[in-house]
């Protein structure tokens, strides 16, 4: 998994899972209007919500992860075609079959000084 401060961009709605690296690259650069070479993760889901693909640039080439659920479904927002950014924590929740917005999760804290 890339670094802890990585961003993941979810392409909401449905994506044709026949697309591979080149097709997803075009979706990221032209439709999402983001930089596919940024090292960030770009996440896509199929219509049945049982398959996710994650595209990202790693130093000298693209990586493509593909996860297919045999029995269950991903909690994927499908009501509108837009992009949302999530962190590594939320992406982990998504891959575990949970909603990316967990009401009972502890909120991250950031301090500038600790006594």
């Amino acid at each position: 998994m890339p670094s802890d401060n990585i961003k993941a961009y979810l392409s909401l709605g449905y994506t044709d899972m026949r697309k591979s690296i080149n097709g997803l690259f075009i979706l990221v650069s032209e439709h999402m209007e983001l930089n596919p070479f940024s090292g960030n993760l770009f996440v896509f889901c199929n219509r049945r919500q049982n398959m996710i693909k994650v595209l990202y640039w790693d130093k000298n080439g693209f990586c493509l992860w593909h996860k297919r659920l045999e029995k269950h479904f991903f909690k994927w927002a499908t009501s509108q075609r837009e992009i949302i950014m999530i962190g590594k924590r939320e992406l982990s929740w998504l891959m575990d079959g949970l909603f990316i917005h967990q009401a009972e999760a502890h909120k991250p804290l950031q301090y500038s000084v600790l006594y």
Side-chain angles (χ1 to χ4, degrees):
M1 193 76 160
S3 68
D4 286 338
N5 60 353
I6 198 74
K7 297 174 189 164
Y9 293 92
L10 304 184
S11 176
L12 300 184
Y14 307 116
T15 302
D16 181 355
M17 285 294 126
R18 294 175 291 181
K19 293 184 186 305
S20 192
I21 290 173
N22 293 341
L24 295 175
F25 175 93
I26 291 169
L27 287 179
V28 171
S29 60
E30 294 181 7
H31 297 281
M32 296 171 79
E33 298 178 354
L34 295 169
N35 179 6
F37 297 103
S38 64
N40 292 319
L41 306 177
F42 302 98
V43 187
F44 306 89
C45 189
N46 68 338
R47 182 175 300 278
R48 292 177 53 201
Q49 295 178 285
N50 68 337
M51 197 178 310
I52 282 185
K53 284 190 177 183
V54 179
L55 176 73
Y56 78 98
W57 176 258
D58 182 37
K59 297 180 190 109
N60 58 3
F62 282 101
C63 295
L64 183 63
W65 297 340
H66 182 152
K67 182 172 183 175
R68 183 183 74 194
L69 299 177
E70 298 300 326
K71 202 170 189 179
H72 301 286
F73 303 96
F74 291 105
K75 308 291 190 223
W76 195 261
T78 58
S79 60
Q80 50 189 318
R81 186 69 180 169
E82 62 180 51
I83 305 158
I84 60 171
M85 183 187 68
I86 61 173
K88 185 176 179 180
R89 180 180 184 196
E90 291 84 6
L91 181 60
S92 179
W93 289 339
L94 176 68
M95 295 301 222
D96 285 340
L98 303 171
F99 288 106
I100 59 172
H101 303 290
Q102 294 293 314
E104 296 179 16
H106 295 285
K107 304 292 184 225
L109 300 176
Q110 295 183 4
Y111 295 102
S112 59
V113 177
L114 185 63
Y115 294 99

